Amino acid sequence: MKEPEAVPIENEREAASPGEAPHRDYEGTKMGMWLFLFSEIILFGGLFLLYSIYRFLNPKDFHNASLDLDVVLGTLNTVILLTSSLTAALSISALRDNHKKLSLLFIGATILMGALFIFNKYLEWSAKIHHGLYPNSHILATHPRGEQLFFGLYYMMTGLHGVHVLVGMGIFCLVYVYVARDFVNASYFWKLENTALYWHLVDIIWIFLYPLFYLVS
Amino acid sequence: MKEHSPGYGFYVFIWLTLLILTATTATAAGVNAGKFSVFSVLFIAGCKSSLVLAYFMHLKYESRLLKLLFFIAIATLTIFIGLTFVDFSLRGWFGI
């Protein structure tokens, strides 16, 4: 493996004293990230539980309300997010193979697809809001209780997920700069790896949101 | 540092599998109605997330400790969901 020419500033900072090899706990870094991801699983898991119970109590209303959602847009967003997960995974492989430019290209593609996902969500939400289907609207208040619950959960869960996508995009932008400046490189890439882990988890959450809101009828 | 890094082609293969599963779940939901549909789409979602976890997130190649921690997190969630459903589905059964 080729040594990177520029000495990464971050690594120097972590060195105990000049000339000494920096102490790195790669396993610990990764495990910390996973522990955070577990807390995210429990966070969304609680919302999924709430959804399941309300669905169990109001099956008919949930069915009718889900018919209002745009399945094509939902499926398109699923494909976009799955593809962005692929590019996120590929960006690590490329960086490890010392293909910096290719890695940057993959990171850029991931950010772009995240933006596309958010744009679709914007279109979807504005259409719903235009039809008066939003929490506390007068039109939605005339709908059955179960449908109101469905839309409350829809906005809460896809909204929280959307915030996660935005945060992921922000961190990926930061990592893009790190890779471009060789702070993150073929021998020191945990920042990219942990960001990708986060992105994949956000993808997994969408994998469950998509059938529960758009498909199940 | 992890030595194992699946090739580009393998990632593309996993991605294609994920897309096929998405197409399957979209058509399955359109064809079937009722409870079967719920379980089938959730089963497919489980398969898809397992693929993402195992290969994109490298969980398959991680240490036993990390796998165990993951198992504990999922088990905790399963207990939460399971017990709550037992509660809701048995309400009113024993005159409670």
Side-chain angles (χ1 to χ4, degrees):
Chain A
M1 202 186 281
K2 200 182 81 188
E3 277 297 311
E5 277 140 36
V7 178
I9 293 170
E10 297 266 334
N11 297 10
E12 261 188 353
R13 220 185 282 149
E14 284 178 17
S17 61
E20 200 175 299
H23 171 75
R24 287 180 198 156
D25 185 359
Y26 180 70
E27 284 297 318
T29 309
K30 194 160 52 186
M31 195 159 284
M33 188 64 201
W34 273 98
L35 287 177
F36 167 66
L37 295 185
F38 296 155
S39 77
E40 291 277 64
I41 291 175
I42 299 296
L43 168 69
F44 276 94
L47 289 168
F48 277 117
L49 175 58
L50 199 63
Y51 170 93
S52 313
I53 293 297
Y54 278 138
R55 189 195 165 79
F56 176 74
L57 295 176
N58 313 278
K60 223 174 163 171
D61 291 345
F62 269 54
H63 166 77
N64 291 334
S66 76
L67 294 178
D68 287 331
L69 295 186
D70 192 338
V71 182
V72 177
L73 214 53
T75 311
L76 184 68
N77 261 354
T78 307
V79 173
I80 290 171
L81 222 52
L82 286 175
T83 313
S84 74
S85 244
L86 170 72
T87 53
L90 288 177
S91 73
I92 303 171
S93 295
L95 190 69
R96 291 182 68 172
D97 292 346
N98 263 315
H99 297 138
K100 185 179 144 184
K101 279 201 174 138
L102 190 64
S103 177
L104 285 174
L105 195 75
F106 282 134
I107 297 173
T110 310
I111 298 168
L112 213 67
M113 277 184 272
L116 203 62
F117 178 91
I118 292 293
F119 179 69
N120 285 340
K121 230 33 301 119
Y122 161 74
L123 291 181
E124 209 184 340
W125 275 32
S126 9
K128 291 283 150 305
I129 291 169
H130 185 73
H131 289 120
L133 296 172
Y134 57 90
N136 213 20
S137 90
H138 298 300
I139 299 172
L140 192 60
T142 62
H143 286 233
R145 210 176 104 82
E147 289 192 25
Q148 297 177 32
L149 285 169
F150 179 89
F151 278 104
L153 285 164
Y154 165 75
Y155 281 105
M156 178 67 206
M157 291 172 80
T158 61
L160 189 63
H161 178 264
V163 169
H164 277 77
V165 173
L166 284 174
V167 169
M169 282 165 63
I171 303 172
F172 260 125
C173 285
L174 203 66
V175 172
Y176 184 95
V177 176
Y178 283 157
V179 174
R181 293 186 181 177
D182 286 323
F183 292 164
V184 170
N185 53 55
S187 55
Y188 186 76
F189 54 86
W190 67 264
K191 282 177 180 152
L192 176 60
E193 203 170 32
N194 280 358
T195 311
L197 279 178
Y198 176 78
W199 193 261
H200 294 314
L201 189 87
V202 172
D203 185 23
I204 287 177
I205 292 162
W206 182 258
I207 286 175
F208 283 97
L209 286 176
Y210 164 65
L212 286 179
F213 280 103
Y214 295 85
L215 296 181
V216 168
S217 50
Chain B
M1 222 163 265
K2 283 280 164 233
E3 304 78 24
H4 198 106
S5 172
Y8 297 50
F10 184 71
Y11 280 135
V12 173
F13 171 73
I14 295 294
W15 171 69
L16 282 174
T17 315
L18 287 168
L19 288 189
I20 292 167
L21 284 172
T22 305
T24 314
T25 196
T27 34
V31 173
N32 304 305
K35 275 194 173 159
F36 175 72
S37 166
V38 180
F39 289 116
S40 62
V41 295
L42 279 181
F43 176 71
I44 294 174
C47 293
K48 282 164 76 181
S49 38
S50 304
L51 282 174
V52 174
L53 279 162
Y55 299 107
F56 282 174
M57 298 173 86
H58 302 136
L59 194 60
K60 190 167 183 268
Y61 313 109
E62 297 297 353
S63 61
R64 289 183 73 175
L65 176 62
L66 194 54
K67 284 178 184 159
L68 180 72
L69 286 173
F70 176 76
F71 174 77
I72 291 170
I74 297 301
T76 309
L77 186 61
T78 312
I79 290 167
F80 282 169
I81 294 178
L83 282 182
T84 315
F85 260 94
V86 167
D87 170 15
F88 267 87
S89 44
L90 297 186
R91 275 187 194 187
W93 270 38
F94 307 104
I96 309 165

